[in-house]
Amino acid sequence: MRTQVVIIGAGPAGLLLGQLLARAGIETVILERASSEYVLGRVRAGVLEQGAVRLLDEAGAASRLHREGLPHDGFSLAFDGRDHRIDLFGLTGSRVTVYGQTEVTRDLMEARDAIGAVSIYEAANVQPQDFDGENPFVTYEKDGVTHRIDCDFIAGCDGFHGVSRKSVPQDAIREFERVYPFGWLGLLAEVPPVSHELIYANHPRGFALCSMRSATRSRYYVQCTLEDRVEAWSDDRFWDELRRRLPVAHAEALVTGPSFEKSIAPLRSFVAEPMRFGRLFLAGDAAHIVPPTGAKGLNLAASDVHYLSDALREFYTEKSMAGIDAYSARALARVWKAVRFSWSMTTMLHRFPDGGAFGQRIQEAELDYLIHSRAAATALAENYVGLPY
Ligand code: APR
Ligand code: PHB
């Protein structure tokens, strides 16, 4: 088989890239290790920057998002027993849209099916090959048979544990990492959200976040230890802990109910440089991970895909390598700003086991500065709604 671009991974990055390239008349094949049901079963964050919404529009996958997505003009920072609103729209003229990433993935899969583009799910042992030369190809196994797809380019959109980054010789890649000494325990329940906006809470017992998927479905998180196990957290224990970390008015208004998903995620910041190796590109989680505190994971995947789809379009329509040569530097310039922002939100809001009294006072000073300085609040808001691209 031959195609123009082989995309490894059918997460949001791979699927969005496939749609944007299709719109430019570029043919792709997506190779995904898991089944589509498995991909759609993963629960992830749910806050979209306007740039990501614009790209989903361009991808022809945003009609449900426009119907069901919840526009949010602000969010709340809760500490010292009180709420402090960050007026995103007032400070930046921009807002975010709350819409589950699972739904984004579903919409993109449906859009791809509608144009009849090829996606091969349950493709085993996917291997990008010869990407340092002019004639790359990808091999994979399906139902015990080995296949080969020749192509012009390979897009590694296969997440943090994917094969693409691992296929690059170690001395050609530099990795930067910070692992945080805690995790997030998250719960989904069919209950109305405690507030119409998100609440990020800094509390002596640890961070908490109140988010939502719709007017009737809530997503809540509490900071937990790395040793914590989901089995040790009954729903009741979770709700009690969440209540303790919220200002009294929210704790009293919290509607609880049985969870239908509960899981623990570790927090990490990670960047691989560069994001291009000859004819292999990395995009999304394959190249970088951010802690979920700023909700930047999917949004960064979207900006990578924007730069990459532009570069490939330029190559096919103008026979120019300029965009391709610039891809890694362009993407990384934005990536590092989101990595910095996610790290700083994480550092400001969590309890660090080794933070000590000094760390505590620094957090208090930072939060106090944020709510009293329009400049500081604007900097936070500008990053939260997403830097331009
Ligand atoms: N071969 C084929 N597919 C693979 C392989 C492989 N060896 N390894 C991983 N994959 C697939 C995974 O099964 C997954 O479906 O690649 C996909 C990667 O998707 P994500 O992990 O969702 O990564 P990405 O698309 O970059 O998403 C960016 O969305 O999913 C979130 O946390 C993620 O917020 C981040 C954003
Ligand atoms: C979520 O809704 O899951 C969510 C929202 C905001 C975040 C992280 C996760 O910062």
Side-chain angles (χ1 to χ4, degrees), residues 23-357:
R23 295 254 148 162
I26 301 166
E27 191 192 65
T28 61
V29 171
I30 293 188
L31 293 176
E32 164 61 53
R33 179 171 60 188
S35 66
S36 55
E37 296 77 28
Y38 180 87
V39 172
L40 288 175
R42 291 188 295 225
V43 178
R44 262 91 179 248
V47 177
L48 300 179
E49 297 173 354
Q50 274 182 0
V53 173
R54 186 185 72 231
L55 288 178
L56 288 162
D57 262 322
E58 281 174 32
S63 53
R64 195 160 64 98
L65 160 63
H66 288 302
R67 278 199 314 277
E68 296 176 15
L70 306 170
H72 280 216
D73 287 356
F75 67 84
S76 173
L77 284 176
F79 59 94
D80 251 356
R82 285 189 299 138
D83 261 326
H84 307 269
R85 184 168 189 265
I86 302 293
D87 180 3
L88 295 174
F89 193 77
L91 293 165
T92 69
S94 201
R95 49 172 62 95
V96 292
T97 304
V98 171
Y99 187 69
Q101 190 172 305
T102 313
E103 307 312 316
V104 171
T105 310
R106 186 188 309 279
D107 296 344
L108 285 165
M109 279 182 181
E110 281 173 10
R112 186 165 177 89
D113 283 350
I115 58 170
V118 181
S119 310
I120 299 163
Y121 287 91
E122 300 179 271
N125 197 17
V126 173
Q127 296 289 344
Q129 318 243 21
D130 283 7
F131 48 81
D132 48 353
E134 296 279 301
N135 301 300
F137 63 98
V138 181
T139 53
Y140 69 98
E141 289 161 24
K142 174 92 185 167
D143 303 325
V145 182
T146 302
H147 301 265
R148 166 179 171 143
I149 310 180
D150 291 283
C151 55
D152 302 325
F153 298 100
I154 303 169
C157 302
D158 46 355
F160 182 66
H161 299 287
V163 65
S164 300
R165 195 181 66 251
K166 290 187 195 120
S167 308
V168 174
Q170 277 208 337
D171 57 0
I173 196 163
R174 182 155 179 219
E175 298 183 348
F176 303 80
E177 186 173 48
R178 168 140 315 175
V179 176
Y180 300 90
F182 41 72
W184 277 20
L185 168 63
L187 171 151
L188 263 176
E190 208 59 36
V191 291
V194 66
S195 162
H196 68 288
E197 291 185 341
L198 271 60
I199 304 168
Y200 290 83
N202 173 309
H203 189 274
R205 296 183 65 89
F207 169 77
L209 169 60
C210 305
S211 182
M212 66 194 73
R213 291 291 174 269
S214 70
T216 56
R217 182 173 289 192
S218 299
R219 178 74 168 153
Y220 292 113
Y221 299 93
V222 292
Q223 173 183 348
C224 61
T225 69
L226 290 172
E227 292 73 43
D228 262 307
R229 293 289 158 261
V230 169
E231 302 74 49
W233 283 87
S234 65
D235 287 359
D236 283 346
R237 181 176 172 207
F238 182 95
W239 293 121
D240 284 345
E241 189 58 43
L242 178 62
R243 260 191 226 101
R244 287 197 182 109
R245 298 183 188 190
L246 298 178
V248 175
H250 293 311
E252 286 175 351
L254 185 74
V255 180
T256 63
S259 68
F260 60 92
E261 199 270 349
K262 214 189 287 159
S263 52
I264 291 181
L267 270 70
R268 139 191 356 249
S269 299
F270 171 89
V271 182
E273 293 183 357
M275 288 171 60
R276 173 198 167 204
F277 308 88
R279 286 176 173 254
L280 170 70
F281 305 96
L282 302 181
D285 278 15
H288 40 74
I289 295 286
V290 285
T293 324
K296 291 295 172 222
L298 172 62
N299 293 301
L300 266 191
S303 57
D304 289 354
V305 162
H306 162 75
Y307 296 124
L308 182 53
S309 59
D310 257 10
L312 290 167
R313 197 179 312 142
E314 194 178 310
F315 174 85
Y316 284 108
T317 57
E318 297 164 31
K319 309 239 171 317
S320 161
M321 285 293 282
I324 283 175
D325 289 337
Y327 167 67
S328 177
R330 262 189 202 150
L332 281 167
R334 192 169 189 279
V335 164
W336 272 112
K337 293 186 191 86
V339 169
R340 186 211 65 80
F341 174 66
S342 307
W343 161 83
S344 93
M345 278 269 278
T346 303
T347 308
M348 177 174 77
L349 293 172
H350 290 74
R351 251 341 96 141
F352 281 72
D354 52 358

Side-chain angles (χ1 to χ4, degrees), residues 13 18 69 102 222 292 361-362 364 371:
T102 313
V222 292
R361 287 287 184 271
I362 294 287
E364 290 164 11
I371 59 165

